[in-house]
Amino acid sequence: MSETIAIVGAGLTGSLLACFLARRGLPVTLYERRPDPRTGQAERGRSINLAISERGLDALRRIGLVDEVMADALPMKGRMIHPVEGPLDFQPYSATQDRAINSISRGTLNNALLDAAEKAPGVEVRFEHRLVELDSQAGLMGFETPAGTVHAQADVVLGADGAGSAVRGQLVAEGLVTEDVDFLDYGYKELAIPAVDGEFALDPGSLHIWPRGTSMMIALPNPDRSFTCTLFWPAGSFDALTSAAEIERYFGTHYPDLLPLAPDLVDDYLHNPVGVLGTVHTTPWQAHGRTVLIGDAAHAIVPFYGQGANCAFEDVVELDRCLSEAGGSWALTLRMFEKRRRVNTEAIAEMALANFVEMRDKVASPVFRLNKRIEHALERAFPGQYVSRYELVSFSTTPYAEVQRRVRRQHQVLGATIGLAGLAAVAGMVGRRR
Ligand SMILES: Cc1cc2nc3c(=O)[nH]c(=O)nc-3n(C[C@H](O)[C@H](O)[C@H](O)COP(=O)(O)OP(=O)(O)OC[C@H]3O[C@@H](n4cnc5c(N)ncnc54)[C@H](O)[C@@H]3O)c2cc1C
């Protein structure tokens, strides 16, 4: 194999992909519309930090980057629920209480991947190259750059340019792909909780959640001992608060413990952008055996399972595996890649949507807490046989579609067992009365 490879987008997926392909000795050019993020300010409006779990770590392990990335990570072993009134409630993620998802700075992770990609032999990174034209059959690309439009050609074009992918847009325009973007009727906005006297203002070992029924706020810790909070509110409702007094009154009523911890609340609220959320469905992901979409460009999901980047990293691992199995044929590789990944990305897209209801509403209910305790008790009683959905999604690399099937099976068995136990109890009572 000596094809020339173009990767469009040097975000998390594109940079990781460049590292994997470089290990195969392939010549890769990575095109990124932004200036080099290592020399400037981070883009506002994207999440500042991410929860990376086993799938993401598995990919990083394969390129020898996991220790470097984890050195800056903050493990979160459970959810800390903040009710409007009353004590905080810590809910561990795993039955053993020792498994954690990891809060990682998006910028630090992206920079580590870019450094690794740039160091790899055969990889060239071109910043300030925004893809604006694509002839997917010929592999011809046009980029807007500060010096004007430049053209390039590659044997294989990998579109890793995120949820609003220009590569996908070009494939749609060529009539080769159809896209369907299900926007969620919710937006998100980030707020900050700074360190207090150099210390974390909240427990740094938890992912904090303020469930409020139809809306919620979460907070993840940062290495500088601050927290980044993200409000997930119904679209349009952010506009209802326009003055400092209104903002303070609202947060004082609904998020009372946040108010004393967020001195820049009003400024953050008024000036930070509202991001959109949605699920991207694309069919197919590839064209002409030489152009493919990967990561968010193919299948962006809502962030409520903390799996978007983890899933995108898993894409990269699978593409690499397909390359090995396809004996050098990119056409075969891309078909295999789509066939294997689509069913799994559809599964996590569904689970991520369902988890929003769980996080914003159910986690606060006593029934949910009881269910979690029963679930963890079952995991301890039947190790390896009963495994919770959260455990399988976050702490294993079990394919997402298999997670869904397995959890369904477990619920059926559990339902039948409870049903039988109930029948036995009723029969026992009837027997005693006779
Ligand atoms: C609020 C929020 C919270 C999240 N939290 C988590 C989490 O906790 N855990 C998790 O796993 N995931 C999380 N995600 C999802 C995660 O951010 C994405 O899945 C991940 O960033 C996808 O990586 P990507 O490289 O495919 O896309 P992106 O990160 O969007 O990167 C795309 C890159 O392509 C570049 N680009 C775009 N257009 C062009 C063009 N025309 N030409 C050249 N370059 C271009 C962009 O500048 C960017 O660098 C979250 C998402 C959101 C919105």
Side-chain angles (χ1 to χ4, degrees):
M1 280 194 300
S2 60
E3 290 97 339
T4 52
I5 317 290
I7 300 176
V8 182
L12 301 179
T13 309
S15 314
L16 179 75
L17 186 53
C19 295
F20 270 77
L21 297 181
R23 291 191 320 165
R24 297 179 165 274
L26 292 168
V28 175
T29 310
L30 193 50
Y31 297 96
E32 168 57 47
R33 70 174 173 190
R34 296 171 300 168
D36 188 339
R38 294 164 298 182
T39 58
Q41 281 280 309
E43 201 179 18
R44 283 213 83 125
R46 302 299 315 273
S47 65
I48 287 172
N49 47 26
L50 299 161
I52 293 296
S53 45
E54 181 51 28
R55 294 164 204 269
L57 298 180
D58 174 59
L60 294 170
R61 235 173 255 131
R62 290 168 192 261
I63 55 162
L65 216 59
V66 76
D67 291 340
E68 181 185 333
V69 169
M70 285 299 280
D72 289 320
L74 290 156
M76 302 176 291
K77 290 188 177 171
R79 303 159 162 159
M80 187 71 84
I81 309 301
H82 295 240
V84 178
E85 283 174 347
L88 303 185
D89 174 33
F90 179 73
Q91 301 176 357
Y93 282 131
S94 66
T96 49
Q97 311 216 351
D98 60 351
R99 295 205 158 158
I101 56 173
N102 305 286
S103 178
I104 289 178
S105 146
R106 177 189 289 276
T108 307
L109 177 58
N110 208 153
N111 291 352
L113 287 167
L114 270 173
D115 281 345
E118 244 178 9
K119 271 191 221 140
V123 176
E124 199 184 317
V125 190
R126 298 200 184 144
F127 293 103
E128 299 187 81
H129 276 61
R130 175 193 290 269
L131 182 113
V132 287
E133 297 166 26
L134 173 68
D135 175 339
S136 64
Q137 185 148 32
L140 279 171
M141 297 161 287
F143 296 95
E144 233 171 53
T145 77
T149 304
V150 298
H151 289 94
Q153 201 270 337
D155 297 316
V156 179
V157 178
L158 303 163
D161 51 345
S165 170
V167 174
R168 191 177 77 238
Q170 297 286 322
L171 292 172
V172 170
E174 286 184 284
L176 297 166
V177 156
T178 57
E179 67 174 13
D180 177 15
V181 185
D182 282 342
F183 286 104
L184 198 65
D185 208 11
Y186 278 77
Y188 72 94
K189 186 191 276 281
E190 292 194 336
L191 307 171
I193 297 179
V196 178
D197 299 329
E199 286 307 320
F200 287 105
L202 300 169
D203 171 23
S206 307
L207 188 153
H208 295 262
I209 308 180
W210 287 255
R212 296 295 181 261
T214 54
S215 61
M216 69 167 178
M217 181 172 77
I218 64 168
L220 273 69
N222 297 311
D224 68 359
R225 301 184 177 231
S226 67
F227 278 83
T228 303
C229 307
T230 312
L231 293 168
F232 294 98
W233 285 4
S237 63
F238 289 99
D239 299 339
L241 308 177
T242 52
S243 70
E246 280 172 345
I247 294 166
E248 282 172 3
R249 201 176 316 119
Y250 186 88
F251 279 87
T253 306
H254 298 280
Y255 303 87
D257 60 341
L258 174 74
L259 214 46
L261 304 178
D264 296 328
L265 171 69
V266 171
D267 196 52
D268 284 347
Y269 188 91
L270 291 175
H271 297 108
N272 286 353
V274 176
V276 292
L277 299 163
T279 308
V280 171
H281 306 276
T282 313
T283 318
W285 293 349
Q286 33 95 32
H288 310 299
R290 70 188 303 178
T291 302
V292 74
L293 300 166
I294 184 164
D296 273 18
H299 50 69
I301 58 175
V302 294
F304 306 113
Y305 229 120
Q307 284 294 310
N310 286 288
C311 173
F313 280 14
E314 207 171 48
D315 276 1
V316 173
V317 172
E318 189 61 58
L319 184 75
D320 188 57
R321 191 177 291 128
C322 292
L323 263 172
S324 295
E325 291 177 27
S329 159
W330 273 96
L332 182 55
T333 296
L334 301 190
R335 279 201 304 276
M336 276 166 67
F337 167 69
E338 177 171 357
K339 188 162 189 301
R340 291 182 186 179
R341 286 303 288 161
R342 174 179 293 285
V343 59
N344 290 304
T345 60
E346 284 169 359
I348 188 60
E350 273 178 27
M351 290 190 278
L353 278 167
N355 219 42
F356 186 27
V357 183
E358 179 164 315
M359 286 177 86
R360 70 173 200 237
D361 196 8
K362 293 188 186 164
V363 288
S365 99
V367 176
F368 177 86
R369 284 202 294 272
L370 178 65
N371 280 342
K372 278 284 154 201
R373 277 203 288 274
I374 293 173
E375 201 167 53
H376 287 167
L378 286 169
E379 285 182 286
R380 282 189 293 270
F382 304 102
Q385 287 174 353
Y386 185 94
V387 188
S388 73
R389 180 188 287 120
Y390 195 89
E391 181 91 16
L392 289 166
V393 167
S394 301
F395 304 129
S396 86
T397 53
T398 307
Y400 293 119
E402 174 56 26
V403 172
Q404 273 190 318
R405 282 194 293 272
R406 181 167 174 175
V407 169
R408 228 173 271 137
R409 268 198 315 271
Q410 287 179 173
H411 284 169
Q412 279 163 358
V413 171
L414 200 59
T417 311
I418 290 169
L420 282 175
L423 278 178
V426 171
M429 276 162 54
V430 171
R432 275 198 300 277
R433 281 205 189 129
R434 278 195 183 139

